[in-house]
Amino acid sequence: MDKKFYITTPIYYPSDNLHIGHTYCTVAADCVKRFKKMQGYDVFFTTGTDEHGQKIQEKAKDSGMEPKAYVDKIVSNIKKLWNTLDIDYDSFIRSTDEVHEKNVQNIFQKLYDKGDIYKGEYEGYYCTPCESFWTEAQLGEGHTCPDCGRETHLTHEESYFFRLSKYKDKLLELYENNPEFIEPAFRKNEMIKSFFETGEGLEDLSVSRSTFDWGVKVPFDEKHVVYVWIDALSCYLTALGLGTDDDKMDEFWPADVHFVGKEIMRFHVIIWPALLMALDLPLPKKVFGHGWILFDNDKMSKSKGNVIYPEPIIKLYGVDALKYFLLREFSFGSDGSFNIEKFMQRLNSDLANDLGNLLSRTVSMVKKYNDGKLIDMGVTEDVDNELKDMAVSTVDEVEKAMEHYHFSIALEAIWKLIRRTNKYVDETEPWKLAKDEDSKDRLNTVLYNLAESLRIVSILIHPFIKNTSVEIRKQLGLEDEVNWEDSRVFGLIEDRTTVLKGDVIFPRLDIEKEIERFNEENEALLKSRLGDNSNKDEDLDTKEEVTIDDLDKLDIRVAKVVEVLDHPNADRLYVLKLKIGNSNRQIVTNLKSKYSKEDLIGKKILVLVNLKPIKIRGVESVGMLLAAEDESGEISIASTLEDIKEGAKIC
Ligand code: MSP
């Protein structure tokens, strides 16, 4: 096969579980793969995870995990999600794959040997708590960190630089001579503007970091790790077999299209082509910058609590409903706003009413009026031709739209045909024809035409919503396998094909009730992601419930043990002398069998200090130390994780 096509999604950060925005791009790329394959292309589709960098290192640390263990967990969720969505990728590249790390090192070395990478000094504004460098232009008011808002300071760090400036003219030439390189076209202007106005792309690029170590080591200077974007972009090459399978590289590189979100366009249209030029590799043919999915017109973010995850939608309404909505509702190049009610309305109108009804009406009528058999008796009327012309020409509209990744326009064209076919039912009124024995042949022709139109629809929707295509074909008595070219011809269903009544493909939703059901499912997912059993109390035999006011009555403090004395009247007791802030306290405790005096002296312990004083064997005890005791009677004194000043309150 000599028609080749290479498509990629971004290489996602597994810093968190992926949401509907990431799903959008992956579903779109998967659709293109299926579409191109049906058109006779040999397609390679890459997705994957970008696992290095400071952010991930910090996230892992916050979760108390090693970075690799942390990303492993998220990557497994991502793969599970793509699997559920039946994403037909050919390579899932992880930037921590050994072969990839080796490739990144080779690339770095090659560019260094060539003189395109050199050692220099990076000047930037450093935010110590975030361990991040910023340029002056990125800073907030008063030179504060754009991430955390704290003050930054001007600093210098040794770094390797890529001679991006050397490629400035060649890049401008690229944009000039290849108007289709950046799509949609309006993004091209944004990019070129940023090129000149912010100076981005004109200055050499810092391509190593020495302030953290979760990354690919610079091969000749192990103090440095390679800048994550060099690492991530190179994934597009490793996934194709760079370093392991030259044939595949030769076959599929350069990429036909990289799908990326609008905010990462600049890395793909400035840094990436410059790197490839430096490596003497051909450039991708196109970078398509899609828009963002917002939530009720607002950016989705975990801190705002408005992130939509695909799993609950898939669980309740199926893979195809989600895919259809994503590809139909939004225009791929622009931003769009997600809203669950809008999703349900579209499901009801397009999938349940238009398509679902057409299928169930058609199959029921064929069953009822003609014993389930499709027979074309060739009794044609004018109205048939209108339907036939539209049916066989829809494929051209779909192809035209898909050339520019206008998924929504392609689906709109298919739905125009579906609605036209529904109208054909109303025009021909098969139920009336059925009443008249003389109209039997005309009735057969009408029913056959309906099935034919649906057959063509089943081919055209195949790259978008495959499961639905398969189900329609099953009910029409056709095999699953589809041939794209068969959508250009009317009349291919064989005589006497028997239809098969099946389930309703998209049941209508009672939107009000469904919103409630969706919210519950969503909450359940968020809960399960906090930990499988985060709030299950089955084994915990708790005391009576208290309120925060009850807790407020207890005054628990950190106390330092300054002296440990034997109780004068009891062999098994100690008298502890404590320092709590500027006060001294004495408490009696029975931990003599477990702890020696040396174990305790100098230690910080927790003491309930407002407990009513009592006398124990004649010695006053003012307060009580806190300790844990398990079922076997094993005891351990409670303390704080870090050393903290005595007197500190437990809150
Ligand atoms: N790791 C880099 C990509 C490296 S590619 C060599 C990265 N990862 S990311 O996980 O943060 O983002 C991946 C993609 O998800 C980006 O293209 C981004 O635009 C997209 N999206 C993130 N949120 C989005 C929406 N709300 N809507 C649509 N896409 C969005 O950047």
Side-chain angles (χ1 to χ4, degrees):
M1 207 184 289
D2 50 13
K3 285 175 23 176
K4 305 278 176 193
F5 197 86
Y6 182 32
I7 183 166
T8 66
T9 69
I11 308 299
Y12 300 106
Y13 289 130
S15 48
D16 234 317
N17 288 301
L18 300 190
H19 57 59
I20 196 110
H22 309 106
T23 307
Y24 179 43
C25 182
T26 309
V27 162
D30 178 66
C31 172
V32 172
K33 170 173 181 183
R34 292 172 189 276
F35 174 73
K36 285 283 173 187
K37 252 179 88 175
M38 288 175 81
Q39 293 205 309
Y41 283 81
D42 189 3
V43 187
F44 199 90
F45 168 20
T46 287
T47 188
T49 40
D50 176 5
E51 305 183 5
H52 292 126
Q54 189 177 14
K55 273 229 165 98
I56 292 201
Q57 188 167 15
E58 278 171 7
K59 269 266 181 167
K61 198 170 148 210
D62 288 350
S63 310
M65 292 170 92
E66 286 297 315
K68 184 63 169 51
Y70 178 83
V71 291
D72 279 351
K73 201 176 99 201
I74 306 257
V75 169
S76 134
N77 286 349
I78 295 176
K79 284 191 169 173
K80 209 155 86 192
L81 174 61
W82 296 161
N83 207 14
T84 310
L85 279 164
D86 194 18
I87 301 296
D88 190 18
Y89 57 76
D90 298 283
S91 171
F92 188 105
I93 175 84
R94 299 184 59 174
S95 65
T96 50
D97 289 344
E98 214 175 295
V99 50
H100 174 71
E101 294 190 344
K102 193 83 218 114
N103 274 341
V104 173
Q105 289 189 321
N106 289 343
I107 287 171
F108 207 91
Q109 183 78 54
K110 195 167 169 187
L111 297 177
Y112 183 70
D113 294 344
K114 194 181 165 189
D116 269 352
I117 282 182
Y118 62 92
K119 196 173 191 174
E121 205 176 59
Y122 184 71
E123 187 185 273
Y125 288 83
Y126 194 61
C127 172
T128 316
C130 294
E131 285 188 70
S132 299
F133 275 107
W134 304 102
T135 62
E136 191 155 15
Q138 291 171 313
L139 294 180
E141 242 174 69
H143 285 171
T144 50
C145 169
D147 256 5
C148 71
R150 283 176 277 209
E151 213 171 300
T152 59
H153 59 276
L154 187 63
T155 182
H156 301 264
E157 182 195 333
E158 184 188 272
S159 174
Y160 288 90
F161 284 83
F162 170 59
R163 283 189 206 285
L164 189 55
S165 57
K166 178 175 152 188
Y167 294 94
K168 178 189 144 200
D169 292 339
K170 277 180 130 182
L171 284 171
L172 287 171
E173 244 171 66
L174 165 72
Y175 310 145
E176 194 64 30
N177 298 339
N178 300 280
E180 73 294 348
F181 176 65
I182 301 176
E183 256 193 68
F186 65 85
R187 300 233 181 266
K188 181 174 154 187
N189 302 334
E190 280 173 18
M191 285 304 119
I192 295 180
K193 227 166 119 198
S194 99
F195 215 96
F196 287 104
E197 284 177 6
T198 68
E200 195 164 13
L202 303 175
E203 285 171 20
D204 289 351
L205 177 75
S206 163
V207 287
S208 77
R209 295 287 185 269
S210 56
T211 47
F212 62 91
D213 61 0
W214 176 237
V216 178
K217 296 235 177 314
V218 168
F220 43 84
D221 189 345
E222 299 233 321
K223 282 202 308 291
H224 291 255
V225 292
V226 175
Y227 176 43
V228 278
W229 272 97
I230 305 291
D231 181 355
L233 289 161
S234 311
C235 284
Y236 298 139
L237 300 174
T238 308
L240 257 196
L242 179 72
T244 48
D245 185 351
D246 290 346
D247 288 349
K248 192 157 260 138
M249 263 300 283
D250 290 346
E251 247 183 287
F252 286 99
W253 190 256
D256 288 270
V257 63
H258 293 304
F259 274 180
V260 300
K262 59 180 184 179
E263 88 288 10
I264 61 167
M265 277 294 271
R266 58 201 183 95
F267 298 100
H268 286 81
V269 304
I270 300 174
I271 299 172
W272 184 222
L275 268 179
L276 291 166
M277 286 172 190
L279 291 166
D280 292 319
L281 280 169
L283 309 184
K285 293 179 199 153
K286 190 187 299 298
V287 178
F288 191 105
H290 66 77
W292 275 6
I293 297 195
L294 308 169
F295 177 79
D296 282 343
N297 292 312
D298 199 4
K299 199 172 166 194
M300 279 193 266
S301 92
K302 238 179 149 178
S303 59
K304 286 187 201 145
N306 64 358
V307 179
I308 298 285
Y309 294 102
E311 287 86 350
I313 304 177
I314 299 171
K315 183 166 172 203
L316 296 178
Y317 312 108
V319 164
D320 279 14
L322 177 62
K323 286 185 180 178
Y324 177 77
F325 180 75
L326 291 175
L327 297 172
R328 173 65 185 87
E329 183 73 20
F330 308 111
S331 157
F332 196 47
S334 322
D335 289 352
S337 188
F338 185 91
N339 168 302
I340 195 68
E341 197 173 335
K342 223 157 60 177
F343 165 82
M344 291 174 184
Q345 279 161 354
R346 209 170 253 294
L347 199 158
N348 274 354
S349 69
D350 297 10
L351 298 174
N353 278 6
D354 295 342
L355 181 58
N357 264 348
L358 178 61
L359 178 68
S360 67
R361 278 165 114 184
T362 303
V363 173
S364 304
M365 288 192 291
V366 178
K367 278 231 141 214
K368 187 165 163 197
Y369 303 138
N370 210 23
D371 205 19
K373 296 269 183 301
L374 289 167
I375 305 165
D376 181 14
M377 296 306 293
V379 184
T380 306
E381 291 183 8
D382 278 353
V383 64
D384 299 3
N385 294 330
E386 206 185 300
L387 177 74
K388 286 180 191 174
D389 288 348
M390 189 176 204
V392 295
S393 63
T394 302
V395 57
D396 295 333
E397 286 186 54
V398 172
E399 285 178 348
K400 200 167 130 225
M402 287 299 279
E403 229 172 85
H404 298 285
Y405 308 113
H406 292 159
F407 304 96
S408 180
I409 295 178
L411 285 169
E412 205 178 315
I414 304 172
W415 255 255
K416 221 167 79 196
L417 170 61
I418 294 170
R419 284 190 208 106
R420 180 66 193 85
T421 314
N422 270 321
K423 192 168 153 221
Y424 178 81
V425 180
D426 300 336
E427 287 164 343
T428 53
E429 299 181 308
W431 49 91
K432 281 196 184 152
L433 298 173
K435 286 190 185 138
D436 177 3
E437 201 41 44
D438 293 345
S439 303
K440 182 93 180 125
D441 290 351
R442 173 64 188 151
L443 173 65
N444 270 332
T445 307
V446 165
L447 296 178
Y448 182 86
N449 288 345
L450 288 175
E452 261 301 291
S453 190
L454 271 167
R455 180 190 60 80
I456 289 178
V457 166
S458 78
I459 300 173
L460 299 177
I461 62 171
H462 196 275
F464 302 87
I465 42 174
K466 185 187 125 203
N467 298 338
T468 307
S469 162
V470 169
E471 181 59 28
I472 291 175
R473 296 180 71 84
K474 195 168 114 201
Q475 297 200 22
L476 291 178
L478 306 172
E479 49 184 42
D480 295 357
E481 206 64 22
V482 287
N483 175 353
W484 188 251
E485 293 307 309
D486 287 350
S487 65
R488 297 182 202 282
V489 191
F490 204 93
L492 292 183
I493 295 183
E494 278 179 30
D495 200 32
R496 304 202 161 265
T497 297
T498 308
V499 301
L500 192 83
K501 186 92 188 103
D503 291 336
V504 170
I505 52 174
F506 292 99
R508 257 192 85 81
L509 306 176
D510 172 341
I511 294 187
E512 227 170 88
K513 238 169 56 203
E514 284 305 321
I515 290 181
E516 238 171 71
R517 215 158 75 92
F518 171 76
N519 288 339
E520 274 167 24
E521 198 59 49
N522 212 16
E523 258 172 46
L525 173 88
L526 298 180
K527 233 186 205 166
S528 77
R529 285 201 167 148
L530 284 173
D532 284 338
N533 294 314
S534 46
N535 272 322
K536 280 193 196 149
D537 256 355
E538 280 142 29
D539 288 337
L540 206 59
D541 188 13
T542 60
K543 294 182 189 166
E544 191 191 335
E545 189 174 89
V546 296
T547 65
I548 195 80
D549 294 336
D550 295 325
L551 187 69
D552 239 15
K553 290 187 193 153
L554 305 180
D555 192 344
I556 302 171
R557 304 292 185 101
V558 173
K560 185 172 178 180
V561 181
V562 288
E563 208 179 344
V564 184
L565 304 169
D566 294 319
H567 192 292
N569 296 328
D571 288 347
R572 292 174 38 233
L573 301 179
Y574 278 142
V575 179
L576 302 186
K577 303 274 188 182
L578 306 173
K579 191 163 176 291
I580 305 173
N582 293 324
S583 317
N584 297 324
R585 276 286 172 99
Q586 162 180 306
I587 59 175
V588 175
T589 171
N590 65 351
L591 292 171
K592 205 166 173 178
S593 56
K594 162 90 186 187
Y595 295 101
S596 70
K597 290 181 181 168
E598 291 72 46
D599 287 338
L600 296 176
I601 284 183
K603 292 280 156 49
K604 302 263 175 79
I605 61 174
L606 302 182
V607 176
L608 177 62
V609 291
N610 61 338
L611 186 69
K612 198 169 167 200
I614 49 165
K615 278 199 171 155
I616 301 178
R617 296 282 193 100
V619 175
E620 188 173 46
S621 181
V622 190
M624 187 181 89
L625 76 75
L626 304 188
E629 181 174 11
D630 70 13
E631 286 157 352
S632 68
E634 185 65 32
I635 285 186
S636 175
I637 293 182
S639 186
T640 55
L641 264 185
E642 281 92 30
D643 189 22
I644 188 164
K645 229 169 153 194
E646 56 268 23
K649 283 185 182 161
I650 302 301
C651 45

